Amino acid sequence: MKQKQKYIAIFLFLLPALLLFVGLLIAPIIMSIYYSLFNWNGLRALDPAKDFVGLKNYATLFNERIQFGSALKNAFILAGLSVFLQLPFSLALALALGKKIKGERAFLSIYFLPVLISTVVIGQLWLKIYNPEYGILNTFLRKLGYEGENIRWLGDQSIALGAVFVPTLWQYVGYHMLLLYAGVKGVSPELREAAKLDGCTDWQVNWNVVIPTIKPIIKVSVIFAVTGSLKSFDLIYVLTNGGPMKATEVPSIIMINQLFKANQYGIGSAIAVLLIILCFFFAILIGFVFKERDIYGKK
Amino acid sequence: MKRILAVLLVLAMVFSLAACSKDDDKKTSDNNNTNTSNTSTDSSVLDKEITLTLWDIAVEGDGNRPAYDSALADLKAKYPKVTINETVTENNAYKTKIKSAMGANELPDIFFTWAGAFLGDFVNAGKVHCLDDVLQPWIDNGEMTAAQLGNSTYNGKHYGVPTTYNIVTLFANMDILASVGYDHIPATMDELNDCCDKLLAKNIIPFGCAGKTDDTWCVTEYLEPIIEKTIGAAALKDIMTFGKTWNNQGVASSVDLLQSMIKKGYFDPDGMALGNEEVKANFMSGKYAFYQNGSWNCGDFANKEKVKFNVKAGEFPVVDAANGKLGMLIGGPSDTIAVSEGPNAEAAAAFAVELGRLICHYGYLKGSGLPAWKVWGDTSEVLPIVQEVAAICANAVDYVLFGDNAMPADEAAIYLEYVSSVYGGAVDGAAFIKGLTSEIR
């Protein structure tokens, strides 16, 4: 009887969180899966018998015009850059700041500042930097002696993607740095001292002691970097909205355009479902990769 | 002491109410001086306490904001028991917001919309209130013509109150044109080409056009008049509005003409990286000789503090005289006030008709558009540049609605993608009509 009461108490305590979880996360996902099976504009009432198209919306995503595959490729490039460029840079900063250097707190605040600023403000800032005529970048190049045509950083198909990724990566360096910094600070000083006594250099201490110790945090950073790249939207929307001519499109941009510009609610929902699946897949994959390489050899 | 304080507070409130009342009386008086109409809607529904929600795009700095302010002030004085909760949203964000609200059944009582297919989608969803009853007295009295209601009429029923209407206008910096020997806007393609070549020889960029993804509509402001002046208004209307095929060689040659102008350097090469506000600012600072865009810009270009040179309004020359004619225009009544179905629909409809008419009146006076309603009151101070546009419209042969308004949203999205590719040089005339034919019709 007591056991039963205990379970009822657990259930009642968990119920509010469960309701929130189901209502705010599970239900919208199920709704999105449902809507992704219909050819529906989201405005009129849905007629399940008439509007049902099965998996056609998913196939439509990969046609020549929508080019979801190309947008996905852009998101993967961003994810790759995040993992192999942004995170090592953030880690280097975290390790440097973790050494109790002079002005540690000031540097911490400065690097974290872009995370605190609104993305729209950052977008406007970089729009000014990239302006072909008066932008600081072209002005700087002209000072260096560049005499060619204005470089259209956000208007040239061949360079726009790179130009959009620079601020996207820059904005979250501070975020990952702070996560990793917390990990670095959590490493036991005794471990460092022991390594030093064994004759390790600073580099060897970091490589052999600090980094392996903060692997769980690195894993979290990698998951955030990859899933964040797959979901990237706001800064790209402000800078180019996927242009010029789809050169900087990522899945979320296509999703919004299909939902609210083309009134293709079914296709937009299909993209949402694919993004959810991809994010879960990569989160599990990254978890698996890091588990395999645990320093203690455990799985 | 408390009693004295209370008496003082009451006196202060009485005086402030008296002051407000005096101000409102003045506004009503201004209104009565100008409003000469004998027509009125049944306003009994507005004589009781009611709160109506209004959504529009007249953000601070928008050309229409002064017209909205004046119109709402007039109506506040006329219907003191009606409270209007206005929410303004920037144009692009508004398109998303209003569609989300429509899907969620949370439309405001009164909302700004674009006529044509945009409003048509809402009407088809059964969520827009029919305005036949409230508009009929105004039509009967000649204050409003059925033609002006055409773009917001579906299956013979009227669902929108037009405010001002606009056309694509070729704005010219006459000081720059004078520097290359032109005292008028080029009237033929030969003259236009000659003028552009002379401008280029003086290192002046002839045209400015925004090409950023959200501003692709700016490219259509060039492409659509060229197509219209090549194949004629009726043929373009058949394609845009009545669903005829895009497989038209005249359309292909128009696209090629626009691209040849771009290749010759007639357009700012930075345009693809710029938004419309940046391009407009460039024109206003004297960087370009021409800027082809909506006539809603008239008010800004007439502002002598912002624009230090003489701007004239004209239309794009005829490309193929066999079909195209001067007076074939892109535009027409598009800016519209609509009313959602709901418990307040009746009052909102009565209010919306008067609101639309007043926005039209003040918008015309302040240079944000041409009157879709019969003009009333003192119009002696209408801006000269607006009068130039009005003169173009007076000689109008035909109007074709802006393409992205005329087409359903899914088709418009595809169309704009192709237009963007045209401006970027990725698609030529043949590929343009082939793509649109296969993807739309």
Side-chain angles (χ1 to χ4, degrees), chain A:
Chain A
M1 189 64 188
K2 271 191 172 177
Q3 190 72 4
K4 196 180 173 186
Q5 278 180 333
K6 189 178 151 194
Y7 283 131
I8 290 172
I10 291 172
F11 177 75
L12 286 176
F13 275 110
L14 286 177
L15 190 62
L18 182 71
L19 286 177
L20 280 176
F21 179 72
V22 171
L24 296 178
L25 194 76
I26 303 299
I29 291 175
I30 292 170
M31 296 287 278
S32 292
I33 295 170
Y34 177 70
Y35 288 135
S36 72
L37 305 175
F38 295 94
N39 177 20
W40 181 47
N41 68 5
L43 301 177
R44 59 179 169 76
L46 180 71
D47 182 348
K50 199 175 145 195
D51 297 330
F52 184 77
V53 290
L55 297 175
K56 194 182 164 196
N57 286 330
Y58 291 88
T60 307
L61 287 182
F62 294 92
N63 72 14
E64 202 179 316
R65 188 177 54 76
I66 295 184
Q67 295 177 15
F68 183 73
S70 162
L72 212 51
K73 191 181 88 183
N74 290 344
F76 285 143
I77 293 172
L78 181 59
L81 290 171
S82 291
V83 172
F84 297 109
L85 212 69
Q86 186 188 44
L87 288 189
F89 188 64
S90 304
L91 182 61
L93 288 177
L95 291 171
L97 292 178
K99 282 174 65 184
K100 293 182 183 170
I101 59 166
K102 204 177 172 186
E104 182 183 330
R105 290 208 166 271
F107 281 118
L108 207 60
S109 303
I110 291 167
Y111 293 136
F112 194 66
L113 198 62
V115 184
L116 299 176
I117 303 173
S118 151
T119 305
V120 177
V121 174
I122 288 181
Q124 290 299 325
L125 179 83
W126 282 86
L127 278 174
K128 301 286 179 286
I129 291 172
Y130 283 141
N131 187 287
E133 198 167 295
Y134 60 78
I136 195 169
L137 206 53
N138 277 355
T139 307
F140 178 68
L141 288 175
R142 277 193 286 270
K143 291 273 182 206
L144 289 180
Y146 174 76
E147 289 177 344
E149 269 196 350
N150 288 340
I151 300 172
R152 287 140 214 142
W153 298 99
L154 299 174
D156 184 334
Q157 254 188 312
S158 60
I159 55 173
L161 191 65
V164 163
F165 283 171
V166 169
T168 310
L169 295 171
W170 167 79
Q171 187 187 5
Y172 286 104
V173 162
Y175 176 76
H176 292 295
M177 183 268 304
L178 198 69
L179 275 180
L180 297 166
Y181 170 80
V184 170
K185 281 300 213 185
V187 175
S188 160
E190 288 81 11
L191 270 178
R192 288 174 184 268
E193 279 169 25
K196 284 268 186 188
L197 284 174
D198 285 344
C200 285
T201 60
D202 278 352
W203 164 252
Q204 284 170 325
V205 171
N206 283 335
W207 185 252
N208 295 309
V209 177
V210 179
I211 293 177
T213 310
I214 63 166
K215 252 187 180 177
I217 296 170
I218 295 175
K219 182 180 87 175
V220 171
S221 267
V222 172
I223 289 174
F224 282 166
V226 172
T227 55
S229 300
L230 290 172
K231 296 184 294 182
S232 59
F233 171 73
D234 41 13
L235 195 53
I236 298 173
Y237 186 79
V238 174
L239 288 172
T240 61
N241 194 8
M245 289 175 284
K246 294 174 166 282
T248 60
E249 263 187 355
V250 286
S252 301
I253 296 270
I254 299 182
M255 181 176 74
I256 292 297
N257 287 340
Q258 289 297 320
L259 280 171
F260 297 113
K261 285 190 178 161
N263 289 2
Q264 295 287 344
Y265 209 85
I267 294 176
S269 300
I271 296 173
V273 171
L274 285 182
L275 279 180
I276 292 166
I277 292 170
L278 281 170
C279 286
F280 275 127
F281 171 76
F282 278 103
I284 292 166
L285 180 73
I286 292 162
F288 179 75
V289 168
F290 273 81
K291 214 172 190 178
E292 282 292 290
R293 297 180 184 181
D294 193 300
I295 52 164
Y296 303 111
K298 293 176 189 168
K299 287 194 177 181

Side-chain angles (χ1 to χ4, degrees), chain B residues 272-437:
Chain B
M272 200 70 191
L274 300 177
N276 183 45
E277 287 308 314
E278 291 167 297
V279 170
K280 185 177 165 183
N282 282 343
F283 175 73
M284 290 167 76
S285 69
K287 184 179 176 184
Y288 313 129
F290 301 105
Y291 172 72
Q292 186 154 287
N293 207 280
S295 53
W296 53 80
N297 292 292
C298 284
D300 287 333
F301 296 160
N303 185 335
K304 288 295 168 196
E305 283 178 16
K306 291 182 185 169
V307 180
K308 306 289 182 195
F309 49 86
N310 182 25
V311 182
K312 271 183 101 70
E315 61 176 306
F316 199 87
V318 171
V319 178
D320 181 354
N323 303 306
K325 287 183 177 60
L326 286 176
M328 290 182 172
L329 305 171
I330 297 290
S334 173
D335 290 2
T336 301
I337 302 288
V339 171
S340 65
E341 287 289 16
N344 293 334
E346 206 183 337
F351 193 88
V353 172
E354 296 203 43
L355 178 66
R357 182 168 176 267
L358 285 168
I359 291 171
C360 168
H361 172 69
Y362 287 113
Y364 180 47
L365 294 181
K366 294 168 198 283
S368 62
L370 298 161
W373 292 71
K374 184 181 170 186
V375 176
W376 47 273
D378 179 10
T379 57
S380 61
E381 289 185 11
V382 171
L383 299 169
I385 194 166
V386 175
Q387 291 177 22
E388 287 169 18
V389 178
I392 295 169
C393 293
N395 295 316
V397 175
D398 202 353
Y399 291 92
V400 180
L401 192 59
F402 304 101
D404 52 342
N405 286 348
M407 287 182 261
D410 52 343
E411 292 185 7
I414 297 170
Y415 166 67
L416 289 175
E417 279 180 16
Y418 273 93
V419 171
S420 176
S421 298
V422 165
Y423 193 45
V427 160
D428 65 5
F432 181 79
I433 61 167
K434 188 182 171 197
L436 287 178
T437 303

Side-chain angles (χ1 to χ4, degrees), chain B residues 53-71:
Chain B
T53 48
L54 164 68
W55 286 8
D56 59 70
I57 60 167
V59 291
E60 211 53 53
D62 182 272
N64 279 307
R65 188 65 248 168
Y68 272 76
D69 285 340
S70 301

